[in-house]
Amino acid sequence: MAHEVGAQEKITYGRNDRFSGGPVGGGRFWVDDDGRSVAKLGGPAEWRRTGMIDVRIGDTFTVGGQTWKVTEIVDAESPDAYLITTRVS
């Protein structure tokens, strides 16, 4: 799915098929030694060379030619963890 700049998407454990070039899914969420929430994302074919990626609030990633910024990671240490991304370009 193509998104307009400013669109938001939620990523949970498992798959989110709404990303152009996706799916993108959360493989793990945790809090690092510095107290920052972290998520491990994977899924898109274009990431297969590097595998899953770790992201924190403020990080960006590109999938399907669209760049997304991680704006929030919620309940990183719970089974209900998720993150919110905003398309920036």
Side-chain angles (χ1 to χ4, degrees):
M1 161 182 267
H3 291 81
E4 299 291 326
V5 171
Q8 291 189 324
E9 281 293 333
K10 179 179 180 179
I11 300 174
T12 61
Y13 284 105
R15 294 170 61 116
N16 179 325
D17 290 321
R18 294 179 45 85
F19 286 87
S20 177
V24 175
R28 183 174 169 227
F29 294 83
W30 72 97
V31 175
D32 68 14
D33 292 339
D34 294 325
R36 296 174 55 195
S37 297
V38 185
K40 185 171 289 291
L41 301 180
E46 65 191 89
W47 294 359
R48 291 213 174 111
R49 196 169 345 136
T50 58
M52 298 182 86
I53 61 170
D54 292 352
V55 295
R56 291 168 174 78
I57 294 170
D59 289 350
T60 60
F61 63 90
T62 301
V63 59
Q66 298 178 359
T67 301
W68 295 83
K69 182 176 183 175
V70 178
T71 55
E72 186 176 3
I73 298 176
V74 177
D75 293 330
E77 294 187 319
S78 87
D80 297 322
Y82 65 92
L83 61 88
I84 302 294
T85 61
T86 302
R87 182 169 176 212
V88 293
S89 69

